[in-house]
Structures are given as C-alpha cells and as structure tokens.
Amino acid sequence: MCTGSCSKFIAVPLYVLALVSVICNIMLFFPDFSTEYAGSDSESDPRLTNEVKYMGGFIGGGIMILIPAIHIHLTSTKSCCANRCGMFLSIGFAALGVAGAIYSLAVAAVGLQNGPVCRYRADNGTEIETWGRPFMGSSGDYLGDKDSWGRCLIPENVVEFNLGLFSTLLVAAALEAVLCAFQMINGLFGCICGTCSDKDED
C-alpha cells in the first residue's frame, strides 16, 4: 500500500472519530437530556462537571483532529500523495492531532475519575441534600461500586450518563492518537522514500 493510500485509510476514520467526540461533548452539557442544568450553571453554584466545560471532546478530539484529517485526506488525492512536501506537512498536522487527542483523553480521564456534579444527600447522618461532586477524591473507586451511584439523586442516572459519554471520548481519543501517530510515520516514509506519483514518473 502506498503512502497516499495509507493517508486516505487514516483520514476517513479520523472524520468519524472527530464527529463522535464533538457529539459526546455537546451531549455532556445536557444531563438527563435537559437544558435546565446548563442554563442554571454558575461558578458559585455549579450544575455541570468542570471537565465538560473544558471542551476536550469539542476542541481536542474534534477541531484539532478535523484540521489534520482534512489535510491528510488531501494528500491522498487520486490514491497518491501530490508530493513529498505534502507528506512532510502532514507530519506536522498529525502532530497537532496527537496533541488534541491527548488533551481530549486527559480531560475525559479526569472527568471519569472525579465523577459528575449532582444533587446528593450529604454523608453525615443528616437528610440535607446539596449540589456537588460526591465522588471527588475517590480516585475513581466509585466506578467499580455501582451501588454508590445511587447517591446522585438529580439529574437522574447522571453517573451512567457521564460514564458512557466520557468513556466514549476516552476510547475515541486513544484511537485518534494512534491514527495520527501512524500518519506521522507514514508521512516520514513518504518524505524519505517518495510517493506513489514519484514512482509513476520514474
């Protein structure tokens, strides 16, 4: 397989993964599929998880992946790279993609570790309910204790909601990082060994 065909093979799944990341990040703004929490969120009285507002999936896994994906796809025109310069530039764009994927992965990992913002009953023997992050500081131990998820009363099923979307972002970011890293290697081979079009001209 020539380096141009490899680029096309890499670009297409990057488009899909970038779209998945953007959709997941947007959905995280609407726990329980309601706009109520995003509308009432504030710094002093949070209703959304901080990691959602860091926009890891939208910026890192989305925009910072989409830009390299477009360039990588352009280098695969007619199943071959236009020239060695195009392949060289794809290395830089792919490096940008790796950085974006790492950002998205880090934000998703922290979001999973700290758990969601929800209204829960304080664990002090009282019946007082408060908004906050009941699993903060648990180092992610709550993920293996499904019985503890019931501590979050509102939004309903917010732990499962965050777990599903942040996990999807985590997997998508890991795949994006692998694909972009592979394109950096592919681009290097294209620069050193030449492209398909170079061979056709010989």
Side-chain angles (χ1 to χ4, degrees):
M1 183 183 290
C2 74
T3 53
S5 295
C6 283
S7 294
K8 186 174 184 180
F9 179 78
I10 292 168
V12 173
L14 282 178
Y15 286 132
V16 176
L17 292 169
L19 180 62
V20 168
S21 295
V22 168
I23 291 173
C24 285
N25 202 147
I26 292 173
M27 288 182 65
L28 280 165
F29 277 94
F30 307 104
D32 206 15
F33 301 101
S34 170
T35 60
E36 172 189 350
Y37 308 104
S40 58
D41 179 72
S42 66
E43 188 173 340
S44 59
D45 192 18
R47 293 291 184 271
L48 295 175
T49 308
N50 285 337
E51 289 75 30
V52 175
K53 294 178 277 189
Y54 294 159
M55 304 287 280
F58 188 86
I59 297 172
I63 295 173
M64 290 179 70
I65 291 295
L66 188 59
I67 293 172
I70 291 171
H71 179 81
I72 293 168
H73 194 191
L74 290 175
T75 64
S76 66
T77 304
K78 296 181 181 179
S79 298
C80 290
C81 301
N83 51 49
R84 294 179 190 231
C85 181
M87 288 303 281
F88 177 76
L89 289 175
S90 77
I91 298 173
F93 280 105
L96 174 67
V98 170
I102 290 174
Y103 175 63
S104 180
L105 191 148
V107 171
V110 174
L112 283 173
Q113 179 179 342
N114 292 336
V117 170
C118 63
R119 193 170 82 183
Y120 67 100
R121 189 171 290 112
D123 193 17
N124 56 7
T126 68
E127 294 298 312
I128 298 175
E129 294 180 4
T130 183
W131 282 90
R133 304 185 77 171
F135 307 113
M136 177 78 82
S138 70
S139 300
D141 292 341
Y142 78 97
L143 293 171
D145 183 12
K146 196 170 182 179
D147 293 337
S148 68
W149 298 359
R151 287 192 68 191
C152 280
L153 306 174
I154 297 174
E156 189 176 354
N157 299 320
V158 69
V159 178
E160 293 91 331
F161 183 81
N162 270 31
L163 177 60
L165 292 174
F166 273 128
S167 295
T168 302
L169 281 172
L170 200 67
V171 172
L175 291 173
E176 288 170 342
V178 169
L179 288 170
C180 286
F182 188 78
Q183 175 57 30
M184 292 175 69
I185 298 171
N186 182 51
L188 184 61
F189 272 105
C191 290
I192 297 172
C193 303
T195 64
C196 295
S197 54
D198 292 337
K199 295 176 182 177
D200 290 342
E201 290 170 1
D202 292 340

